[in-house]
Structure formats: structure tokens, C-alpha cells
Amino acid sequence: MAVEKVLITGMGVVSAAGMNVAETLAGFSSGTRNISQTTPSLSPLDYPVFHVSAPLGDPGRFSSRTVHLTFHALDEALADAGLSQDLSGLRVGVCMGTTVASQLNDMDFYTAYRKTGQPPMEPVTGFLKSNLAEAVAFRVKANGPCVTVVNACSSSADAIGVALGWIRNGQCDLVIAGGGDELSRIPICGFSSLSVFSHEPCRPYDRDRQGLNLGEGAGIVILEPESAARRRGSRASLFVGGYDAACDAHHLTAPRPDGSGLEAAIRGSLAEAGIQTQEVGFVNAHGTATRDNDKVEGGVLARVFGTGIKVLSTKGFTGHTLGAAGALEAAFTALALREGWIPASAGFENQDEEIPIGAVRERTTVSARYAVSTSLAFGGNNASLVIGREP
Amino acid sequence: MNIAGMGLVSARGRGVAALEQALEQGWVPPGEVEVKGLASGRLPVYAVSAETLSDKVVLAKARRADRFTRMAVLAASDALQDSGLGASVDKSRLGIIVATALGPHATTFSFLDGILDFGDAAVSPTAFSHSVHNAAASYIAMTLEARGPTLTVTHFHFAFHQALEIARSWLDQGRCDAVLVGTVDELGSVLHHVCGRMTKSAADGRITPFAFSATPETVPGEGRAFFLMTRDPDGAAYGCIKPVGGAVPDGGASLQLLDADGLAKDERAYRAAVIPGMPVAGYAPLFGGLLTGSAFEVAVAALMLKKQRRYACPVRDNPHSISLLSEPLTAPLSAVVCIKLDCSGRAASILLGRSAS
């Protein structure tokens, strides 16, 4: 029996690349990189960051900036799907990815705890109300499965994979999947301690890349089984064709040098989608611009797809948005299939002799029906999503 | 899906034998910790001992890891060992799902100590990399050389329930041949303080699951419970888990376990959740209150099904005169349902059956 398609019936994005889909596409087309520097209120460390500077919408009872970013993308995705903000009549699942929002790491709270032993409890109660998936479920009155994936940098790609499973298992009529993360002092300190930051705008896949820049944002996709979506009049043409994940089981922070975990995830996702490698038009790579990531990932992409595969990393426009990255990049991949072009991979100029493939240097037409988005995470998890477009 | 093996780490020790011993022995008083900022200065807790986490062989690849991760590695390794399937499981098709409510917060605060004590530019990269929620899953994968998907999920009430359903989904889709799914949550000095201020501490050290109180009392606990799940009918040493439901089933089970551990602000809703006519039990007094404590109730239920033995409730205060399991009983037992309510009274139930699914 043929597996029913799982359509992407709505998308919402917010990042330094744009406050919505239209702004993001315009920025991609023009090659604009909205990069700034850390401010003293964010971190005393001076690094380039991709900050969302425009105001966000009303977050209701939630104080977390990650929740604000996520609600901003959620509202766009619901509108794009033609859905109201009250989904209580449907079997709706919510699966979100994040990193920063999962941790009780409020500096003011902890400083007061250390100094006085009597910290204010509002940061704790606020944290306990701000589990990202629970917050989204609360906002739309979702009554189905609800969970937040905290798989570091592959969190929201894995969240989309979990959502795909819920729909294919018949657990949900509709799933809100994606992720969000805010710029925060804590990961800025942490990534700085790991010496993986670049002091200039990041250059994914470039020979002279020096590391990553952090960013913030959120990406949401609304997933529905094709039959249900068509019944309510959706004309969506994009779909999630396949997903897979595999662990390196190698190191807490470094990718497995042979990339076999990533390769297994990509091949598994292609098999689930029922397609061959030559049907994939391009890969939106994880492409953090660290020496290790791009070298390992580039080698795997060449091995799986051949050296002629078109590759880009949208992190040159957004920075590394951590738990939001997988969903943002899945949405960007879907948009590229819909629009028929991918942007120049921002920051890429010179091919690295150690990597058998380079990234695209200019806006490039794509006519393929399928594309792949990859995510590699702290902890060694690798995730791959196959996004498709109906003819 | 079938439960092929279990691994547990709690204040009552490590492994299935320690669980069984605790169930036979019954309630024991908790330990006590000094807590900064509390009027009493002390808090009863069920904490995992350092001795329980001292296995240098299993923890060889996790020797730099924190307590949160060490508990996880031990319980997950024990679950695989307990199944007897270790050698036959294809490690490239072994998935890992870790459910947690709060993650490795002690390491997070240790990282914040680094910022406050030494400045933003001089923090420990090791503390940072171990403060991410999925560090435990990563160490489990490295220790067991598991190359399938690894996932860490969080939810403040039903993290374990959601993790079980994802495991079922992975098995149904053929993504994995076996999945190690479990929970971990830990205590630490800041959480002691938070518990001391946000929950009502049980002065006598006894959680009373059947008081159904508007102001329940608790004793915070910590630990880890892991399960090796398969579709293999031969891998049903502890029976099977039926699809996790939101509603409490009105039939099919002959015993109900309540995960009433005193952490909720109000436990009166448990009274209405009790299925009439079915004996009731609850084992939170053995392990303490954990947001992911449902995994321990499921472990008890699984052991009951394997042993065909009902273990007496460790604390039997019964002001509502419900049908309490007050004495141990060895007799046929076909199914057990575990019931958990969140703060707003929403229920989630896990139904376990004796036979393979």
C-alpha cells in the first residue's frame, strides 16, 4: 500500500534573514546578511551574531524570548495554512525543538541564589510554564501528543521527523512542528570556550572559514496528511518525503571523522522517501562553518550525491540558530523547491581542497522535485529530511 | 511493544534486584540534605548514593560525565544487559530515547558558577558540553556503541509517556529493531532549594499517594529507569506496553498504580481518576517525587507481571477507604494500568499486559 503524503500546508519563519517568508526570500535574493555584534546586555564577549531586531508579537502569559520568536513564526504558519489559532476541534500534535529554552539558566536568579540564598522564584515559575511545545499547544488549544525535542543542533529537524511519524501512525490530523531559540549569554560563553566562533561573518564551506556565528529565530511547519488537507481545501504542493537519524557514538562535541552516521541518516531518509540520489536537486547543508563540520559533511555529501550536487548553507544568512536551525532550514529548503531557486551560499568564495564539493556562489535555478536538509548535533546525532514538491 | 529488559538507578540502589528488594522491604525513611536559604535549613530527599554510581567498568567511557549522565549510562546499560539480547541486537538499529523534565541542571549551574567566578571568557568547555540535555543520550550511545537514532525529549509532566509513544513509532516504522527508552532526573543544591520553597515537604518523610490532598506533601527523589523495547515476541520478559492513552481505560487491567507523588499543588483529582472496583497501589514513597516518576511505576508494574506478584503499597494511609493493595500477593496478574495526572488534572495512562504484543 502506498504511503500517504504528508503535506507542508503552512510555513512560518523568523530569523535575522527576515521576519517572515517574504522578507526572507527577498533577503536571500539580494544576498543581504543582517549581522551585528553582541551587545553588553547580551554578553561581554565580542562576536558577530545574527540578531532578530524587529519587534515581535504579543506573547500572552509567556516571558521567554524563545517562546516569543516561536509564536511569531507560528502565527505566520497558521495563516499560511488557512487555520485559525483555535485548533481544539482537531487531533493536533505539537513537536518543537529547542536548546536554550529547555534550561533553567537564568543568571539573575542564580546570582541571587548565590548571594542571598533567597532568589525570586518568578524565573522558576516562568521556566516551568515555558516548555516550548507545551507553550505552543496552550496557544492553539492542541489536544494531541506534545513534546519538546532537546537534541542540541538537530532538535527541530528531529521534531519534524517525530511529527512525520505521528501523522503516518494516524495519531494526529495535523502536527505543528519546528523549533525556536534565542541568543543567550550562556551558549555564547559555551561556544566561545570551545573555540568554534568566528570573529567575522561566517563562511560555510569556504577554504578560509574560521568558525560559526550564533543566531536566533524560529521555524514552523504545519504538517497534514494529504487526504485531510485536500478535504479542507488546501492546495499545498510541498511535502516531507522522508526522515532518518543516526548517531555517531563517537564524541560529545566532534563529528565522527568518517561521517558514517550522517551518511546512514541521509541514505535512510532517501529510502523512506522512496527516491534515488540523482532525484535530489540540492542539499541545504548543516554547514556551520567550523573546520570539522564542513569537512566531514562535505565528504559525506560528495560520497552520497556525487561532487556535482548543488550545496548551500543558509547559516550564512541566519547564523547558527541551534534548536531552531533544523526547522528553519527545512522551511528554506521547501521554499527553494517552491520558488525554483536557491540563493548564493553566503560567505562562500573559495573551495577547500580538503572538501570535494563547494557551495553555490550565485543564485541558482533548481528544477528538481526533491531536496535534502541535513543537521548534525552535539552528542553525535545526525538527522536528514527529504523535502519534496508535487509536479 | 514488548519490554525485554529493565535497568534502574534510584535511592534504593541499582538494578532490577534492588527494585525487587525495595518492594519487598517497603518504605524506609529518606535521607536529609542541608539546604541554603530554607528556614528549616534541611530537606528530606531520596538521593542516589555515590556508591551506586561507582561502576568503573560500565562507566569507562563516561568517566568525565556528571551524575545525571552516569545514572543514565548505568540504567541503560543494565536494561540491555537484563534483556540478554546484548549480543544479538544490531547496534546500527538500536535507538535511544531519553525523557527528562529538567535535564542536567546541576551541571548547568556549575557552568554558571564558572561565568560568575571566572568571567565569560574563562568558563569550562567540559561543563558547557555536559550541560546540554542530550549529553546523557550521547554517552549511552558511545558506551553501547549504539548507532541508531538518539533522541532526548522534555515535558514537565508526561515526558516518559511521550517517549514511549515515539519508541513505539520507531519500532512500527521499522526505523529500529530495539529502542532503549527511559527517564532521568536529578537533585542538586538549587533544586533542593526550589523544592523546599515550591512544594510542601513531608515532615515525617512519607509521601501519602492515597491522601488525595489539596495540599500534598512530598519528598523529592532522583533516578533513572530504562526499558529495552522490541517488537520481538521472544523479547517480552516483562510483558508489553499497550498504546499510551490520554484517558484512563475502564477495563482490561486488574490493578491500577497511581503516580501521586506530592509534587502537584493539588492531588484531589486522583480520587476521581481511581477506577472503581479495581485495587489501587502506588510506589512513589519508595523513590521520592520526580516529574518523570511514571517510569518507576511502570517498572514496578512490569516486575509484577513478570513475577506474577503484587507488592504491598509502601505507605498505606487510606483516608478515603479505597481498595488498597495492602498485603503482598502471589497470584495470576494479566494487566496493570499506571495513571498520572498533571497539575491541571489531565490524565495519561500506560497499560501493561503480561503477554507479548
Side-chain angles (χ1 to χ4, degrees):
Chain A
M1 193 174 74
V3 176
E4 184 176 17
K5 276 200 181 77
V6 177
L7 296 181
I8 302 171
T9 58
M11 284 186 281
V13 295
V14 57
S15 72
M19 295 299 291
N20 50 47
V21 165
E23 275 189 23
T24 301
L25 288 173
F28 283 176
S29 184
S30 65
T32 306
R33 305 181 75 183
N34 295 317
I35 195 161
S36 55
Q37 291 295 120
T38 47
T39 57
S41 63
L42 176 62
S43 168
L45 303 178
D46 187 28
Y47 288 108
V49 289
F50 286 85
H51 175 242
V52 174
S53 53
L56 301 167
D58 174 19
R61 68 173 189 168
F62 299 98
S63 57
S64 153
R65 179 169 173 81
T66 296
V67 174
H68 297 191
L69 288 161
T70 302
F71 282 2
H72 188 91
L74 173 66
D75 290 350
E76 184 186 22
L78 291 171
D80 185 37
L83 294 165
S84 76
Q85 296 209 347
D86 181 349
L87 302 178
S88 54
L90 298 167
R91 291 184 307 152
V92 175
V94 178
C95 193
M96 303 299 301
T98 191
T99 64
V100 175
S102 65
Q103 294 183 317
L104 177 54
N105 56 14
D106 187 285
M107 288 296 289
D108 293 338
F109 164 80
Y110 191 59
T111 303
Y113 169 77
R114 287 192 3 150
K115 281 185 178 171
T116 69
Q118 285 290 324
M121 296 305 280
E122 287 76 15
V124 178
T125 53
F127 169 73
L128 292 173
K129 288 177 184 166
S130 298
N131 179 287
L132 195 57
E134 293 184 64
V136 169
F138 176 84
R139 187 166 176 96
V140 300
K141 300 183 175 66
N143 55 12
C146 170
V147 75
T148 299
V149 175
V150 281
N151 250 21
C153 308
S154 69
S155 294
S156 54
D158 291 311
I160 293 172
V162 169
L164 187 64
W166 287 348
I167 290 190
R168 286 187 169 158
N169 281 358
Q171 282 180 261
C172 300
D173 301 322
L174 181 154
V175 181
I176 297 168
D181 251 327
E182 68 193 79
L183 281 168
S184 159
R185 181 179 176 183
I186 313 305
I188 290 173
C189 280
F191 282 103
S192 176
S193 74
L194 291 165
S195 302
V196 294
F197 274 148
S198 172
H199 284 279
E200 60 182 42
C202 65
R203 305 172 72 173
Y205 276 88
D206 190 84
R207 178 192 64 200
D208 302 318
R209 67 193 182 280
Q210 295 178 7
L212 61 84
N213 310 135
L214 284 183
E216 63 181 353
I220 296 283
V221 292
I222 308 289
L223 303 181
E224 296 180 70
E226 183 175 27
S227 57
R230 298 290 181 234
R231 273 199 301 277
R232 68 173 190 87
S234 171
R235 299 172 66 188
S237 62
L238 299 164
F239 59 93
V240 181
Y243 157 81
D244 203 8
C247 187
D248 284 344
H250 169 68
H251 191 272
L252 192 54
T253 58
R256 194 177 190 93
D258 67 4
S260 55
L262 176 61
E263 182 171 349
I266 294 172
R267 292 194 188 280
S269 67
L270 295 173
E272 187 169 295
I275 64 169
Q276 305 296 314
T277 53
Q278 59 268 28
E279 295 178 76
V280 174
F282 68 93
V283 176
N284 190 353
H286 191 58
T288 57
T290 62
R291 301 300 307 181
D292 281 353
N293 177 89
D294 294 6
K295 182 181 174 185
V296 170
E297 184 180 37
V300 170
L301 296 181
R303 202 155 67 228
V304 174
F305 296 104
T307 53
I309 186 70
K310 296 182 181 74
V311 174
L312 79 158
S313 166
T314 47
K315 288 187 175 69
F317 292 101
T318 64
H320 193 342
T321 55
L322 302 178
L328 275 171
E329 290 159 19
F332 296 157
T333 303
L335 290 168
L337 285 171
R338 187 185 79 185
E339 300 295 315
W341 58 271
I342 54 175
S345 189
F348 178 76
E349 291 178 12
N350 301 302
Q351 183 158 352
D352 186 338
E353 289 180 359
E354 292 187 321
I355 305 176
I357 55 170
V360 293
R361 292 189 178 88
E362 57 193 20
R363 174 174 157 149
T364 301
T365 299
V366 290
S367 56
R369 286 186 54 209
Y370 294 97
V372 165
S373 182
T374 52
S375 298
L376 290 74
F378 256 32
N381 192 56
N382 304 276
S384 174
L385 287 163
V386 175
I387 310 294
R389 173 184 56 80
E390 292 188 334
Chain B
M1 61 183 169
N2 301 318
I3 306 174
M6 298 198 301
L8 300 101
V9 172
S10 76
R12 303 299 289 267
R14 173 185 166 195
V16 175
L19 171 67
E20 190 171 7
Q21 185 180 25
L23 289 164
E24 295 288 3
Q25 184 182 10
W27 181 81
V28 297
E32 244 189 5
V33 290
E34 290 184 16
V35 182
K36 180 178 172 181
L38 290 187
S40 66
R42 304 187 72 77
L43 188 74
V45 296
Y46 285 106
V48 174
S49 70
E51 185 187 357
T52 301
L53 305 178
S54 63
D55 186 331
K56 291 187 172 62
V57 176
V58 174
L59 295 174
K61 290 182 179 174
R63 59 193 178 278
R64 296 168 67 197
D66 55 20
R67 287 181 79 248
F68 182 87
T69 288
R70 293 206 302 274
M71 285 192 273
V73 170
L74 290 174
S77 300
D78 288 352
L80 186 60
Q81 174 82 19
D82 182 51
S83 73
L85 301 175
S88 62
V89 171
D90 177 352
K91 298 295 177 61
S92 70
R93 294 179 54 75
L94 173 60
I96 296 166
I97 305 176
V98 176
T100 179
L102 298 172
H105 53 80
T107 299
T108 297
F109 291 122
S110 170
F111 185 68
L112 300 191
D113 281 332
I115 295 173
L116 294 170
D117 291 337
F118 305 111
D120 291 57
V123 293
S124 158
T126 302
F128 176 65
S129 57
H130 287 76
S131 72
V132 297
H133 276 48
N134 65 327
S138 175
Y139 273 109
I140 295 169
M142 283 189 275
T143 298
L144 302 179
E145 299 178 345
R147 304 286 302 277
T150 58
L151 198 66
T152 302
V153 299
T154 179
H155 189 282
F156 287 130
H157 304 286
F158 301 130
F160 179 58
H161 303 71
Q162 303 290 353
L164 278 179
E165 283 308 289
I166 295 170
R168 182 190 309 282
S169 166
W170 285 2
L171 293 170
D172 287 348
Q173 293 163 12
R175 200 175 295 290
C176 299
D177 294 337
V179 182
L180 277 164
V181 57
T183 64
V184 66
D185 270 303
E186 66 173 347
L187 293 169
S189 57
V190 181
L191 196 65
H192 292 150
H193 177 89
V194 169
C195 287
R197 289 179 61 187
M198 294 186 69
T199 65
K200 189 173 180 187
S201 182
D204 62 358
R206 297 183 327 132
I207 293 172
T208 52
F210 318 110
F212 309 134
S213 170
T215 55
E217 298 178 344
T218 194
V219 177
E222 64 176 355
R224 167 72 84 172
F226 251 91
F227 305 84
L228 183 72
M229 311 302 302
T230 79
R231 277 286 179 213
D232 182 353
D234 293 332
Y238 296 90
C240 69
I241 294 183
K242 311 286 187 188
V244 172
V248 177
D250 57 5
S254 45
L255 178 64
Q256 53 188 322
L257 307 191
L258 303 185
D259 185 18
D261 60 6
L263 284 179
K265 285 193 184 312
D266 184 342
E267 287 190 340
R268 285 176 294 181
Y270 273 104
R271 179 71 188 91
V274 168
I275 302 166
M278 187 187 299
V280 181
Y283 299 91
L286 293 181
F287 314 108
L290 294 92
L291 290 171
T292 51
S294 296
F296 284 101
E297 300 292 335
V298 167
V300 173
L303 188 64
M304 286 182 176
L305 290 167
K306 180 178 183 179
K307 299 284 184 178
Q308 291 294 284
R309 179 165 173 79
R310 298 161 168 87
Y311 301 98
C313 294
V315 169
R316 295 186 278 276
D317 297 31
N318 189 11
H320 300 276
S321 301
I322 58 174
S323 174
L324 210 59
L325 184 59
S326 53
E327 298 292 334
L329 174 67
T330 299
L333 180 64
S334 59
V336 181
V337 62
C338 301
I339 299 167
K340 160 88 172 174
L341 303 184
D342 70 7
C343 291
S344 57
R346 279 186 309 172
S349 60
I350 299 172
L351 181 62
L352 293 91
R354 184 186 183 193
S355 54
S357 62

